[in-house]
Amino acid sequence: MVVLLEQLTSDFPGAPGRQGPGRSAFPGRCRPGLPDPPSPLPDDHPGRLTSAITAQEPLMTATTATTTAITVPAATAKNLAAKNLTEQTGARTAEAAHVIGDARERIDILDDRIIGLIQERMAVSAVIQEARISSGGRRVNLAREMEVLGRFRDALGKPGTALAMTMLELCRGRI
Ligand SMILES: O=C(O)C(=O)C[C@]1(C(=O)O)C=C[C@@H](O)C=C1
């Protein structure tokens, strides 16, 4: 037998017990971040009582938390975990779900780095623009922007141009 702890809290983002990055309720390295899975309990299970409380108190604050111990057979717990993994990833097998979960973790790390690099680029671009403007020049230098767009197009094709345009907009604002 396995004891599952079902913690119900406010829907407020970041509230204790809420699903989200770094709050995996599942075994393995797969990362959640997708909508909360449906309750694993049958409708007539006593553990569903807490769900009813949530429904009756939609304005519960982030400080309100209820923890209920539910005892289920180990096999059931394992099946529920596998079901959640496949629901979160769209995979049809636990093996594929783990591959996807691991790869998503790597993507999140890459995205964090990309965001950090873009922010760094914005700061460097601001230095250039401030120097140009305070010397009496204009914020925008179209010839340079063409060079930037060309580099992204050469590396990534047409979507690269769109990406560079968005990046330039982030760096110098809309023109
Ligand atoms: O290279 C410049 O001159 C910049 O001002 C930087 C930058 C950029 O972010 O790449 C920003 C605005 C200009 O229109 C051109 C390029």
Side-chain angles (χ1 to χ4, degrees), residues 74 89 102:
T89 59
D102 287 351

Side-chain angles (χ1 to χ4, degrees), residues 151-164:
R151 290 181 68 192
F152 274 75
R153 186 199 55 232
D154 290 349
L156 303 170
K158 200 173 164 190
T161 307
L163 183 62

Side-chain angles (χ1 to χ4, degrees), residues 42-84:
D43 287 344
D44 58 349
H45 193 287
R48 290 296 289 245
L49 182 62
T50 49
S51 300
I53 291 168
T54 304
Q56 286 164 15
E57 296 179 309
L59 296 179
M60 214 162 39
T61 66
T63 54
T64 309
T66 309
T67 303
T68 310
I70 305 153
T71 306
V72 296
T76 307
K78 207 174 159 196
N79 284 342
L80 289 171
K83 187 165 169 268
N84 284 327

Side-chain angles (χ1 to χ4, degrees), residues 121-122 124-130 132 138-146 148 167-173 175:
R121 191 191 193 285
M122 289 165 71
V124 175
S125 182
V127 170
I128 298 174
Q129 292 165 57
E130 278 160 27
R132 191 159 51 235
R138 295 169 185 267
R139 174 178 297 281
V140 173
N141 183 314
L142 287 178
R144 174 61 179 163
E145 293 203 4
M146 289 304 125
V148 173
M167 192 182 68
L168 285 168
E169 185 182 331
L170 282 168
C171 289
R172 50 93 166 110
I175 50 173

Side-chain angles (χ1 to χ4, degrees), residues 1-9 16-19 23-26 37 39-41 45 47 50 65-72 77 80 84:
M1 299 291 253
V2 165
V3 175
L4 291 179
L5 286 181
E6 182 170 83
Q7 191 176 55
L8 293 170
T9 61
R18 185 173 167 74
Q19 284 288 324
R23 289 180 187 273
S24 178
F26 307 99
S39 172
L41 302 173
H45 193 287
T50 49
T66 309
T67 303
T68 310
I70 305 153
T71 306
V72 296
L80 289 171
N84 284 327

